[in-house]
Amino acid sequence: MTDNDTANWAPLEAVIPADDRYLWMWMGRATSDDGTVIEQYKHSLTRGYLNLSADGRAWLIRGTADGCTPFCGEQHEHRPDSPPTVEVVAMATAREWAWI
């Protein structure tokens, strides 16, 4: 069981240098289709999200509003009622989406 009100900083601490962690806010958590708990962190300057699980994986969570960001690179239609997509991505990709 996880407490949805208590920040878990361990995944962020594993990938962000100590001197840069003050720039991050814990925003909450999500759960993937396979049950993995994903911690959501937001950078205070770029406003980008870094989504990390305790096992060291990076996740991309895209809602309909995020589908056509400069990093999308795909031509497709996004419907407002579409569920968000949740996928494991390389850490470099996750950092790019967080604009860090």
Side-chain angles (χ1 to χ4, degrees):
M1 175 181 275
T2 60
D3 178 355
N4 287 326
D5 295 329
T6 303
N8 176 7
W9 293 102
L12 186 77
E13 291 168 347
V15 298
I16 300 295
D19 291 348
D20 294 333
R21 289 185 205 141
Y22 75 96
L23 294 167
W24 292 89
M25 303 172 276
W26 180 79
M27 301 305 292
R29 62 181 48 94
T31 304
S32 71
D33 288 341
D34 71 1
T36 301
V37 175
I38 304 165
E39 303 294 336
Q40 299 174 293
Y41 308 98
K42 186 176 185 178
H43 194 277
S44 62
L45 300 177
T46 69
R47 311 309 280 177
Y49 276 79
L50 191 57
N51 304 297
L52 306 169
S53 54
D55 60 9
R57 292 184 290 171
W59 297 76
L60 188 58
I61 301 173
R62 288 192 288 180
T64 55
D66 300 319
C68 292
T69 68
F71 303 113
C72 182
E74 299 176 22
Q75 299 293 323
H76 50 251
E77 181 179 340
H78 297 282
R79 297 180 42 190
D81 58 345
S82 298
T85 58
V86 180
E87 61 185 296
V88 176
V89 295
M91 188 62 68
T93 300
R95 294 175 72 94
E96 184 177 82
W97 272 78
W99 301 322
I100 57 167

